[in-house]
Amino acid sequence: MRTAQITRKTNETDITLSVTLDGTGRHDIKTGIGFFDHMLDQLARHALIDMDIRATGDLHIDDHHTVEDVGIALGQALTRAMSDKRGIRRYGSFHLAMDDALVRAALDLSGRPYLVWDMEFPTPRIGGFDTELVREFFQAVATHGGITLHVTKLAGINSHHIAEAAFKAVARALREALEADPRNQSAIPSTKGTL
């Protein structure tokens, strides 16, 4: 089983996070930020990654440190659980439609972190959640997961739908990239011989 657990404790946050890559999407997530929990639930469910996340943070300041640090811990957990990446497909992409929103996500589990973010939200907040934090989360995941990640909004007028479509699209692309390649089960998918 490809699993990992990360504990991250700073002056701003205290996070315990575990993942099972070959899961069913089971999740138990509590960050203290309702909308963020909902998005992480979608990520787990649509990537078919089992996730347990407990996070406490300085929410009296704002949500930024908690969201970013959960992204850091998740990226680190993905890296650890993938190990040498032997036998995976490596690449994944998905177009996800959700009502008015259409988001494309494409990624490469290359070990080379890079985020291309072409997303605009029509409102600065979704309820009490700052829409800027969606990018901060994915920046942290990409950086600490060694993922080249492109996320593009192709359509959308509702900020909730756009954010949720982004999380689901990334989840489905991640699911594809993490899957075992039946034609290349024992090789590392790189001409370099390492990822």
Side-chain angles (χ1 to χ4, degrees):
M1 292 289 281
R2 298 179 296 168
T3 64
Q5 182 169 329
I6 298 291
T7 300
R8 177 180 171 81
K9 186 172 177 59
T10 72
N11 290 334
E12 299 166 340
T13 61
D14 187 351
I15 297 166
T16 303
L17 182 150
S18 65
V19 298
T20 300
L21 301 185
D22 304 301
T24 60
R26 184 200 55 76
H27 52 278
D28 185 7
I29 297 166
K30 291 182 178 57
T31 67
I33 306 167
F35 181 76
F36 187 42
D37 287 356
H38 177 47
M39 294 300 100
L40 292 170
D41 290 351
Q42 300 304 318
L43 186 64
R45 181 183 311 272
H46 290 277
L48 293 182
I49 296 173
D50 294 346
M51 280 189 209
D52 290 313
I53 303 173
R54 290 292 179 276
T56 56
D58 53 2
L59 300 182
H60 61 286
I61 296 173
D62 73 3
D63 298 344
H64 187 281
H65 297 144
T66 301
V67 171
E68 182 178 37
D69 285 8
V70 168
I72 290 169
L74 180 57
Q76 291 171 340
L78 291 172
T79 296
R80 188 175 294 174
M82 285 186 285
S83 186
D84 68 359
K85 304 176 188 173
R86 188 174 304 278
I88 66 170
R89 291 187 185 271
R90 177 179 167 178
Y91 299 99
S93 65
F94 203 82
H95 284 79
L96 194 126
M98 182 173 175
D99 299 337
D100 56 286
L102 177 61
V103 174
R104 177 182 61 226
L107 59 83
D108 177 8
L109 302 176
S110 62
R112 296 185 304 276
Y114 199 91
L115 177 66
V116 174
W117 186 256
D118 189 10
M119 298 279 291
E120 289 184 21
F121 291 92
T123 62
R125 303 190 83 71
I126 302 166
F129 188 82
D130 185 345
T131 54
E132 287 184 345
L133 296 181
V134 180
R135 183 191 187 283
E136 293 302 317
F137 171 75
F138 284 115
Q139 180 68 67
V141 172
T143 298
H144 294 272
I147 301 168
T148 296
L149 175 61
H150 292 243
V151 186
T152 305
K153 181 184 89 169
L154 302 173
I157 57 173
N158 180 286
S159 292
H160 186 132
H161 294 164
I162 294 164
E164 189 164 340
F167 273 83
K168 289 177 176 177
V170 171
R172 294 300 297 248
L174 190 58
R175 174 178 167 181
E176 181 181 345
L178 287 168
E179 285 179 346
D181 185 342
R183 297 177 61 200
N184 200 22
Q185 294 179 16
S186 61
I188 294 172
S190 171
T191 56
K192 295 178 179 65
T194 185
L195 282 171

